[in-house]
Amino acid sequence: MTAMEWNPIRSKDYPLYKQIADYMARRIAAGEFPAGSHLPSERTLAKELQVNRSTVVAAYEELYAAGIVEKRKGSGTIVSADIWGMPRKRLPNWRRYVEQGSFLPNLPLIRHIQKESKEADIIDFASGELSPDLFPLEQFRSILAQQTFDCHLGYEDPQGNLALRETIARHVKTDKGIEATPSSILITSGSQQALHLIVQCLLKPGDAVAIEDPSYTYSLPIFQSAGLKTFLLPVGRTGINPDDLTLLHQKHRIRMVFLNPTYQNPTGTAMPLEQRRKILALSAELGIPVIEDDPYTLLSFTGERLPTLKSLDRHGTVLYISSLTKIAASGLRIGWVIGPQPVIERLADAKQQIDFGHSIFPEWIAQRFLASPEFSAHLDRLVGELKQKRDLLVDSLERHLSGIVEFHVPAGGIHLWCKLLKETNDLQLLREAIRHGVVYVPGRVMGTQQGFVRFTFARAEKERIDAGIRRFAEAYRG
Ligand SMILES: Cc1ncc(COP(=O)(O)O)c(C=O)c1O
């Protein structure tokens, strides 16, 4: 309900000022103006509603008399701090609802970074997505222009469109060496939904899970909301140490382990083959399922692709998650899980309850795109561009921060994990950096390590990478 949609009606029995007072009270109750927020100025509201300013003044007086608003000299009309609990008006206490829902919100720092990264002039090393010039826009346009949409428009199979699942089965076989059938695949709204479904359907509150430290930020509230106990596996130069998993299991009876073994978010590390085999052997020996979160394998800059855990999985202990986010477009929201059929059916049943299955339109585009020869041409170009961005970032770090940072050059993916050698306050540095026009993710929001920064190089334009690091260096040097 906005002012644009509502106007008072002239009536003998219901004065304009009263209509406006009730209307604003409804907007306040609906949470549009939380406690402590400012109502529009009298002049602004009068203009919007096309009434005299004196009518709005009278309406605000009415709200004041009812204790709904306060008047503060010089700062206008403010919603009362205790309005949310006011029994007289029987207003729901929205703030309490908002704070007490079982699904946890993002960390305030993450929300702040997200907001800053959208500012026009800021150079964005924070967002984990491709820059617009790397999306396969031309290919999508040509699919939309040349091919006839011929799909069923009713509710889809809860596992997702069959043609897309067939195409994904072929794609993972060709590009990742993974054997899958359409019935072992579930289409999800990105990897994010896959993670959510797995946590909700296969685990229960109190279960112990092992996660990487540091790890992908957006998975943390999902684990916490589900009441899981998370135990940390430190990520070293080559990923996690399998012995740490054994130790954690002995102590806490780990029920599931979440790994991003290739070009890990945020450290950029890639786990060598022998370590992969060890993890798989352990997983089979201890009976712990491994969730392999794999958005980055195809973004290898070395010309060779590391084998996914799933492609080496001889005992069926790996549930594999991937998506088109980092290799095509985040906005498409196409991801998938590959796993044993009973698991996939359980997850599909939950997905059906949540959203009645995926929308056919992104599925259709994704299927045409993945099945077309343009897909591998796009991937080649994308990898070349990302490699150039990585090189520009490395050059800039060496030029502007030599001797005061330390990092390993990632062999693929989109993240570079940078250790700050100079003593700094992480939050103050972020604030300073934003003031200088650059944003990134401080390491501390992704795990226990302090004094690290994640620079993501996919989003910033090539021409601005050097300026971004220069701005960071100014903030860091102080
Ligand atoms: C490791 C990892 N997993 C999952 C995701 C979620 O991606 P999406 O849901 O867009 O596929 C990301 C995105 O940054 C990621 O880095």
Side-chain angles (χ1 to χ4, degrees), residues 160-417:
N161 177 260
L162 179 61
L164 176 58
R165 284 183 286 131
E166 286 167 348
T167 302
I168 288 174
R170 274 194 296 277
H171 154 64
V172 295
K173 171 84 181 133
T174 316
D175 292 326
K176 298 178 175 177
I178 296 173
E179 298 288 346
T181 59
S183 54
S184 63
I185 299 175
L186 166 69
I187 308 297
T188 55
S189 177
S191 307
Q192 191 67 10
Q193 188 181 42
L195 280 168
H196 193 191
L197 289 171
I198 289 170
V199 163
Q200 289 295 329
C201 298
L202 309 182
L203 294 165
K204 57 184 185 324
D207 277 350
V209 298
I211 62 169
E212 294 160 318
D213 177 27
S215 64
Y216 166 58
T217 343
Y218 288 99
S219 55
L220 301 178
I222 292 184
F223 297 134
Q224 283 163 6
S225 301
L228 304 180
K229 292 191 197 127
T230 47
F231 295 96
L232 304 178
L233 297 164
V235 177
R237 283 255 357 235
T238 57
I240 67 142
N241 179 347
D243 296 339
D244 290 342
L245 180 57
T246 313
L247 289 176
L248 275 191
H249 187 62
Q250 282 164 358
K251 274 202 193 149
H252 305 289
R253 207 170 156 271
I254 298 297
R255 297 261 299 142
M256 201 172 261
V257 53
F258 291 80
L259 299 178
N260 171 201
T262 311
Y263 315 131
Q264 199 242 6
N265 182 0
T267 62
T269 51
M271 191 184 280
L273 180 59
E274 263 326 290
Q275 221 159 303
R276 289 174 192 247
R277 290 198 201 284
K278 267 196 185 163
I279 301 246
L280 288 171
L282 256 183
S283 143
E285 192 186 311
L286 305 173
I288 309 175
V290 175
I291 309 305
E292 180 179 24
D293 186 3
D294 183 38
Y296 305 115
T297 283
L298 299 184
L299 304 180
S300 160
F301 306 149
T302 63
E304 277 174 35
R305 287 181 189 150
L306 282 158
T308 58
L309 293 176
K310 187 70 190 159
S311 69
L312 304 168
D313 178 22
R314 298 287 162 265
H315 304 283
T317 62
V318 179
L319 268 187
Y320 178 84
I321 301 177
S322 193
S323 80
L324 291 184
T325 287
K326 317 292 174 173
I327 56 169
S330 35
L332 206 54
R333 305 314 297 137
I334 290 286
W336 54 88
V337 194
I338 301 176
Q341 211 167 321
V343 173
I344 293 301
E345 282 170 9
R346 171 78 169 94
L347 303 182
D349 176 71
K351 179 157 164 71
Q352 193 191 27
Q353 294 181 56
I354 291 167
D355 62 11
F356 283 115
H358 219 64
S359 162
I360 184 63
F361 293 103
E363 288 185 316
W364 182 78
I365 288 270
Q367 191 277 325
R368 299 293 151 129
F369 178 57
L370 277 173
S372 73
E374 280 81 44
F375 172 62
S376 71
H378 159 76
L379 205 55
D380 289 347
R381 178 179 92 89
L382 174 64
V383 167
E385 291 285 317
L386 287 175
K387 184 165 181 291
Q388 280 184 35
K389 287 190 174 190
R390 188 239 7 218
D391 292 343
L392 285 168
L393 176 61
V394 168
D395 285 352
S396 305
L397 288 170
E398 282 167 355
R399 187 166 327 120
H400 302 296
L401 291 158
S402 168
I404 48 173
V405 299
E406 215 170 69
F407 57 89
H408 297 292
V409 178
I414 62 173
H415 308 292
L416 184 146
W417 188 238

Side-chain angles (χ1 to χ4, degrees), residues 10-31:
R10 292 186 193 275
S11 139
K12 258 202 338 284
D13 310 323
Y14 192 12
L16 285 184
Y17 80 91
K18 193 106 182 62
Q19 291 182 45
I20 294 170
D22 290 346
Y23 164 67
M24 292 309 285
R26 286 198 301 275
R27 290 176 74 182
I28 292 168

Side-chain angles (χ1 to χ4, degrees), residues 19-86:
Q19 291 182 45
I20 294 170
D22 290 346
Y23 164 67
M24 292 309 285
R26 286 198 301 275
R27 290 176 74 182
I28 292 168
E32 206 180 321
F33 299 104
S37 66
H38 289 253
L39 291 191
S41 73
E42 288 147 358
R43 196 180 305 278
T44 310
L45 191 62
K47 200 160 157 219
E48 270 178 28
L49 300 177
Q50 294 169 4
V51 295
N52 287 331
R53 181 161 169 252
S54 57
T55 313
V56 176
V57 171
Y60 280 8
E61 279 300 331
E62 186 82 359
L63 295 175
Y64 176 63
I68 297 176
V69 299
E70 289 162 20
K71 290 187 273 189
R72 276 194 216 147
K73 249 205 149 25
S75 51
T77 308
I78 291 169
V79 178
S80 298
D82 58 358
I83 187 65
W84 301 91
M86 269 189 48

